[in-house]
Amino acid sequence: MIGNDWDIVLADEFKKPYFVALMQYLQVQYQKETIYPAYDDIFNALKLCSYNDTKVIILGQDPYHNPHQAHGLAFSVPNGIPLPPSLINIYQELENDLGIRMSRNGNLTKWARQGVLLLNTVLTVRAGRANSHRMIGWEIFTDAIIKKLNQKQGLIFVLWGNNAIEKGSLIGNKHHILKAPHPSPLSAYRGFFGCKHFSKINQILEEADKTPIDWQV
């Protein structure tokens, strides 16, 4: 399904009844409703960032629910699409933290290819209805992904917002966990701005003799 080592890591998960039922449900939904992202883009976060290459995990909630925005990477939008408010705030913090000027390009594929897993906890959404695909099985699947990653050592989990922070209970003490409020305009001023997570991530990577992330988009 994925095309890299995630196929082996998640092989048992793909066979479980809940996942088979989830895929069958989505096949019907994509025919009846407008669902984001496009069906072929659902697993882009895993396709672009293999299990073995993953160094940093940034957890989001669910995909953007407006047209043309979602493409399978948390917080990211395709080339040429105006920046959503949360991504503008992410870029603002990046500029404040590392002096990297805000890009007009919201496609974060470059981050993913460097080992940043941009994973939403729910991977699909109905058009215009945020959180509309909660509790249909995605949380079980993404929890399984986090548990598999937990078997590695020295990863950096970035938890922005309460939904992501709740996943901290799945993460062992052999990893680094960075927490902050969600970057949305509703909460960014409560501690997301000034969290300096981008510089902290690179400091942790450098101290572990790993290549830091080039955050410039």
Side-chain angles (χ1 to χ4, degrees), residues 40-58:
D40 289 343
D41 290 341
I42 292 175
F43 297 104
N44 273 352
L46 302 176
K47 290 177 180 178
L48 291 168
C49 183
S50 71
Y51 179 80
N52 187 58
D53 289 342
T54 298
K55 300 187 290 188
V56 180
I57 302 93
I58 297 179

Side-chain angles (χ1 to χ4, degrees), residues 149-168:
L149 290 165
N150 192 44
Q151 295 174 8
K152 302 178 73 173
Q153 291 198 19
L155 298 179
I156 305 169
F157 287 85
V158 182
L159 311 180
W160 291 337
N162 291 334
N163 285 352
I165 290 171
E166 288 175 0
K167 301 296 184 182

